[in-house]
């Protein structure tokens, strides 16, 4: 069985960061979201993976080619027009070659193993399987209505939800999904929706199974969800200070409140850092207080008599001399602020 990861999205809700890098390359605990997707497929014994990208996403190609060895075979598939998730899936039809496959949305971070979705397709009577999760605000999600352990209807952001089970970004499909995609029309927002394609399968008598996850998950589609994902990943990978290439990290006269992850080539001086802070490669913090935040590569934060909370500092950001308690601050790549 092969895997497909959709990574061609433009990430408009993650601007300004998505102006300078694909949203699936944004790091969670110093590792791109896309890499978590690949690892999740590998844990489900998927070693052939197609990644759907757009023609401008050279950064994804370069990263993947430098990162992964022959243990996983990755093929890049291009979506030249942004016409929705189902349209992106359709681009992989030739690659799939009439076989079942697992599908992940590349901006989704899912802790639940995918093997249960794969196992569902061992039953020849099941056409597809979808991962679901209980949510508190079902009106904001695609919602599944279930009867007799089968999904009988999917509805996108319903006014009157039939359940609180939301569709999250993991699926198992047979090739019949491609026929379904060819039969649907664009939604009101002008896109081919994967929920419409699955509903077409249901309406044509096919059985749709599901797995309900109770483990953490989020789509990294906004800066708030990005911080949330970083928070729960840090809480699971370490309960202490963790440093990548410890000999390349310098900490002096500072208080570190775990969990904190510090990349190679970083310096922390006379500062209080943590909890839930990720510091990217080559960054420097001096005379500052930072908590529940993300610093991308080569960020410099110094001489700030404030506490940064829920902040994101872009690549090569330089911030000096800010005062007052600053929450929910977003600094795009190469931002430079100096107050004297």
């Amino acid at each position: 069985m092969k895997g497909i990861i959709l990574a061609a999205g433009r990430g408009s809700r993650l601007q300004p960061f998505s102006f300078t890098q694909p949203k699936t390359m944004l790091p969670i605990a110093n590792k791109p979201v896309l890499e978590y997707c690949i690892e999740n497929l590998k844990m489900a014994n998927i070693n052939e993976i197609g990644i759907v990208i757009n023609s401008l996403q050279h950064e994804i190609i370069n990263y993947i080619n430098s990162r992964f060895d022959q243990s996983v075979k990755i093929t890049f598939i291009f979506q030249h027009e942004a016409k929705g998730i189902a349209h992106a899936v359709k681009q992989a039809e030739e690659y799939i070659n009439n076989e079942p496959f697992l599908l992940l949305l590349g901006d989704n971070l899912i802790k639940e193993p995918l093997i249960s979705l794969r196992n569902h397709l061992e039953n020849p009577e099941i056409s597809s399987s979808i991962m679901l999760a209980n949510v508190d605000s079902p009106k904001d999600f695609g919602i599944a209505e279930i009867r007799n352990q089968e999904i009988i209807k999917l509805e996108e952001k319903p006014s009157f939800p039939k359940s609180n089970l939301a569709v999250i970004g993991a699926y198992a499909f047979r090739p019949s999904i491609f026929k379904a995609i060819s039969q649907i029309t664009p939604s009101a927002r002008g896109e081919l929706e994967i929920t419409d394609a699955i509903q077409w399968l249901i309406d044509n008598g096919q059985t749709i199974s599901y797995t309900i996850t109770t483990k953490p998950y989020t789509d990294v589609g906004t800066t708030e969800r990005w911080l949330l994902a970083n928070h729960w990943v840090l809480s699971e990978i370490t309960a202490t200070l963790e440093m990548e290439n410890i000999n390349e990290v310098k900490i002096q006269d500072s208080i570190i409140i775990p969990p904190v992850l510090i990349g190679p080539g970083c310096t922390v001086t006379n500062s209080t850092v943590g909890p839930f802070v990720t510091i990217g490669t080559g960054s420097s913090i001096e005379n500052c207080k930072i908590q529940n935040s993300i610093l991308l590569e080569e960020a410099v934060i110094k001489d700030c008599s404030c506490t940064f909370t829920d902040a994101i500092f872009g690549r090569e950001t330089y911030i000096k001399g800010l005062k007052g308690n600053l929450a929910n601050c977003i600094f795009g790549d190469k931002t430079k602020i100096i107050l004297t």
Side-chain angles (χ1 to χ4, degrees):
M1 187 181 289
K2 294 177 181 176
I4 296 292
I5 302 172
L6 304 186
R10 307 289 180 175
S12 58
R13 294 179 297 167
L14 278 164
Q15 295 169 355
F17 303 101
S18 57
F19 284 137
T20 52
Q21 58 189 312
K23 66 176 180 177
T24 56
M25 289 298 295
L26 296 175
I28 306 295
N30 281 352
K31 187 165 64 177
V33 182
L34 182 59
E35 188 166 341
Y36 288 96
C37 292
I38 293 171
E39 290 175 350
N40 213 348
L41 287 170
K42 289 179 67 177
M43 286 189 291
N45 299 318
I46 303 291
N47 296 311
E48 293 185 66
I49 300 172
I51 302 178
V52 180
I53 61 175
N54 68 59
S55 58
L56 300 177
Q57 293 174 319
H58 305 293
E59 185 174 345
I60 291 178
I61 297 175
N62 294 338
Y63 182 85
I64 295 300
N65 286 341
S66 66
R67 182 71 174 173
F68 291 93
D69 56 24
Q70 297 302 314
S71 64
V72 57
K73 182 180 180 181
I74 294 177
T75 300
F76 295 101
I77 302 163
F78 289 93
Q79 182 189 25
H80 296 290
E81 298 178 90
K83 293 184 177 181
I85 291 175
H87 179 264
V89 174
K90 184 70 172 175
Q91 310 313 301
E93 183 172 10
E94 182 178 348
Y95 172 76
I96 291 302
N97 193 27
N98 206 37
E99 297 289 340
F101 63 99
L102 294 187
L103 172 70
L104 287 180
L105 305 188
D107 61 353
N108 277 232
L109 196 64
I110 299 172
K111 183 67 174 178
E112 183 74 38
L114 304 176
I115 195 69
S116 60
L117 295 180
R118 176 174 184 160
N119 289 344
H120 285 172
L121 294 195
E122 292 181 0
N123 182 345
E125 296 182 359
I126 293 177
S127 169
S128 306
S129 187
I130 303 173
M131 191 167 290
L132 306 174
N134 284 286
V135 295
D136 295 327
S137 53
K139 292 182 179 181
D140 298 330
F141 296 86
I143 295 298
E145 182 180 353
I146 294 173
R147 183 185 303 158
N148 297 327
Q149 297 186 326
E150 293 181 17
I151 297 176
I152 62 170
K153 187 174 183 180
L154 295 176
E155 191 172 5
E156 192 67 32
K157 298 181 180 178
S159 299
F160 303 97
K162 298 294 179 62
S163 78
N164 64 343
L165 290 172
V167 179
I168 63 176
Y171 314 78
F173 288 123
R174 295 194 189 279
S176 55
I177 190 65
F178 296 116
K179 180 179 180 180
I181 293 171
S182 69
Q183 298 299 312
I184 63 174
T185 57
S187 65
R189 61 178 184 169
E191 296 186 354
L192 294 177
E193 310 286 358
I194 195 65
T195 50
D196 289 345
I198 298 169
Q199 187 62 49
W200 187 93
L201 293 174
I202 295 170
D203 294 341
N204 284 271
Q206 299 204 32
T207 300
I208 310 299
S209 185
Y210 61 90
T211 289
I212 300 176
T213 182
T214 58
K215 298 181 183 296
Y217 74 92
T218 185
D219 72 282
V220 188
T222 66
T223 53
E224 293 81 7
R225 293 175 186 169
W226 185 7
L227 284 165
L228 174 64
N230 195 67
H231 186 286
W232 68 255
V233 170
L234 279 182
S235 69
E236 292 197 345
I237 67 172
T238 178
T240 59
L241 167 65
E242 184 165 317
M243 292 179 283
E244 303 171 89
N245 299 341
I246 189 169
N247 292 331
E248 299 180 26
V249 174
K250 296 180 181 179
I251 299 176
Q252 183 176 359
D253 300 326
S254 295
I255 299 172
I256 306 297
I257 306 171
V260 171
L261 179 63
I262 303 177
C266 293
T267 61
V268 180
T269 306
N270 194 34
S271 296
T272 300
V273 176
F276 302 105
V277 174
T278 297
I279 305 174
T281 300
S283 293
S284 174
I285 299 173
E286 183 178 353
N287 300 323
C288 294
K289 296 181 180 179
I290 302 175
Q291 60 189 17
N292 199 47
S293 297
I294 298 170
L295 283 73
L296 303 189
E297 305 96 311
E298 307 291 339
V300 175
I301 319 296
K302 63 186 301 184
D303 301 331
C304 294
S305 59
C306 62
T307 298
F308 291 101
T309 303
D310 299 328
I312 302 177
F313 302 88
R315 293 184 289 190
E316 299 181 47
T317 293
Y318 188 95
I319 308 295
K320 180 179 179 181
L322 296 190
K323 298 177 175 62
N325 291 328
L326 300 177
N328 306 111
C329 294
I330 302 298
F331 303 96
D333 289 358
K334 297 183 183 293
T335 294
K336 188 173 185 179
I337 300 176
I338 301 174
L339 297 182
T340 58

